[in-house]
Amino acid sequence: MHRPTMRPWRFVVWFGTISLLADFVYEGARSITGPLLASLGASALVVGVVTGAGEAAALILRLVSGPLADRAGRFWGWTIAGYALTVVSVPVLGLTGVLWAACSLVIAERVGKAVRSPAKDTLLSYATAATGRGRGFAVHQAMDQVGALIGPLTVAGVLALTGGDYAPALGVLALPGVAVLALLVRLRHHVPQPAVYEGAATETQAAAGTETGSGRLPAAFWRYAAFTAVTTSGFATYGVLSFHLVTHGMLATAWVPVLYAGAMAMDALAALATGWAYDRIGPRVLAVLPLLAASVPVLAFGGSLAVAVIGSLVWGAAMGIQESTLQATVADLVPPGRRATAYGVFAGVIGAATLAGGALVGGLYGYSVPVLVVVVVAIQAAALVLLSGTRAHRG
């Protein structure tokens, strides 16, 4: 097995740079998904269902990509293919003027995430075995969110310069997309088999191609997945939040990606804080996630712009925990030989909840905001109960 030519932390930082550039691309696009679809005639329900379906596709399809990556052991191939699909879909999105085509491209971009994520998370999990799970995933996520901040700001600037023209705003995102693919090829050359970071036992499992996909996932993993699915089912998408702000005249379209950038800054800070806390106290830190998720609709759908902005920032903090510390916990619950499968299954469970949550929040928003708030708070209370009965542990 080839030895890597860089230390684990350097690998994490380089992978973080790739994610930074990728987020530049797809978070720049996601920051204006709600207004873009609305400009093509979409209702709040359509925005909620499409953005929820996109997230569901990004998650549920990992049920297939995860086990396939484990069986083949070709983690780099899956990672590169997934990023390629994403960085191609985004610039094309700005060229369509038809609602169904735009909806299809929104979902296609998320499919790219489904293709790459189990393999990518597995590659990263090897290096974080040496750096500390919480800290490694947190630093990666923080760098990821730098791109999520730059992308929306870039889109906002182009929208302002072009008078709200979506085509150049999304077309400029092709440049960091090319850089993503170039850096991936370079990193693969330097670290062809990151499994060596996790030690000799992992090397043996990774070398035995047919054995890496066998065995059952631990019971603790399933309990943890149940908690995560419940809390996710009561979580609003930014598409609905931005739809509310624009259609109620609270915020101009050009400012929506700026607010999204602020939410991504909160994402990075929350990831770092909970990641470091995770390495010290373990999964108990995750109790903060349902509390944040419950407060999002209370704040974001209020009548005041200032309070709605705070709600969007809280949404960003909750996203930071979802995308970093939740992933770190999976790596500690599941042995290396089944990790890509576990990430795929975990994402699939969350994906079903995300689709339900997108439809739930979008539908209840159009029916009654007070009812929406009550339902979401009740769901997050149930999630806290499930977490208290979950005995997740670090391996």
Side-chain angles (χ1 to χ4, degrees):
M1 179 169 285
H2 298 286
R3 294 288 172 181
T5 60
M6 61 178 64
R7 295 183 179 275
W9 266 120
R10 190 180 174 195
F11 179 84
V12 170
V13 171
W14 271 108
F15 226 132
T17 303
I18 291 168
S19 291
L20 183 157
L21 292 168
D23 267 45
F24 190 146
V25 177
Y26 69 78
E27 296 291 12
R30 290 178 73 198
S31 70
I32 55 172
T33 296
L36 172 62
L37 296 181
S39 72
L40 297 175
S43 65
L45 178 58
V46 170
V47 173
V49 169
V50 170
T51 54
E55 293 308 308
L59 296 167
I60 294 174
L61 293 180
R62 298 183 210 185
L63 288 167
V64 177
S65 63
L68 287 177
D70 264 338
R71 292 191 184 100
R74 297 177 179 175
F75 301 117
W76 279 118
W78 283 90
T79 300
I80 294 171
Y83 274 118
L85 179 57
T86 288
V87 300
V88 168
S89 297
V90 167
V92 179
L93 178 61
L95 300 177
T96 183
V98 181
L99 179 59
W100 70 264
C103 292
S104 298
L105 286 167
V106 168
I107 295 173
E109 182 274 311
R110 296 283 83 192
V111 169
K113 190 172 182 67
V115 170
R116 70 178 179 265
S117 288
K120 184 204 76 172
D121 289 338
T122 300
L123 292 173
L124 187 60
S125 75
Y126 294 141
T128 60
T131 64
R133 298 285 191 208
R135 284 173 291 182
F137 274 93
V139 168
H140 175 270
Q141 177 65 13
M143 295 185 68
D144 187 268
Q145 294 315 108
V146 171
L149 183 116
I150 297 174
L153 290 178
T154 300
V155 168
V158 176
L159 283 174
L161 289 174
T162 60
D165 190 343
Y166 291 109
L170 293 174
V172 74
L173 300 178
L175 298 177
V178 172
V180 166
L181 299 180
L183 287 177
L184 276 169
V185 172
R186 181 179 185 275
L187 188 58
R188 183 187 183 280
H189 172 74
H190 285 286
V191 191
Q193 298 182 30
V196 297
Y197 288 131
E198 197 160 340
T202 301
E203 290 186 44
T204 301
Q205 289 178 326
T210 58
E211 295 179 6
T212 56
S214 61
R216 294 183 178 181
L217 296 172
F221 164 80
W222 290 110
R223 292 193 295 268
Y224 178 65
F227 150 72
T228 309
V230 171
T231 190
T232 304
S233 69
F235 192 62
T237 66
Y238 188 76
V240 177
L241 300 186
S242 60
F243 180 92
H244 171 78
L245 291 170
V246 172
T247 58
H248 280 70
M250 300 172 69
L251 200 65
T253 300
W255 283 99
V256 171
V258 176
L259 177 58
Y260 188 82
M264 293 302 96
M266 289 299 299
D267 181 313
L269 292 175
L272 289 171
T274 57
W276 256 255
Y278 176 83
D279 284 340
R280 290 178 175 272
I281 66 174
R284 287 177 295 172
V285 70
L286 294 173
V288 72
L289 179 56
L291 299 177
L292 291 175
S295 65
V296 169
V298 177
L299 299 169
F301 297 138
S304 165
L305 174 60
V307 175
V309 167
I310 293 173
S312 297
L313 297 179
V314 171
W315 174 86
M319 284 295 296
I321 300 171
Q322 285 187 346
E323 295 175 348
S324 62
T325 312
L326 288 183
Q327 305 301 319
T329 307
V330 171
D332 278 331
L333 289 172
V334 181
R338 292 286 285 163
R339 200 167 289 158
T341 298
Y343 276 122
V345 171
F346 184 68
V349 171
I350 300 174
T354 300
L355 178 57
L360 176 71
V361 173
L364 287 181
Y365 171 84
Y367 173 71
S368 170
V369 170
V371 172
L372 168 61
V373 169
V374 171
V375 170
V376 169
V377 169
I379 289 173
Q380 299 305 332
L384 279 173
V385 172
L386 279 174
L387 181 62
S388 67
T390 300
R391 297 292 182 265
H393 63 279
R394 286 174 284 181

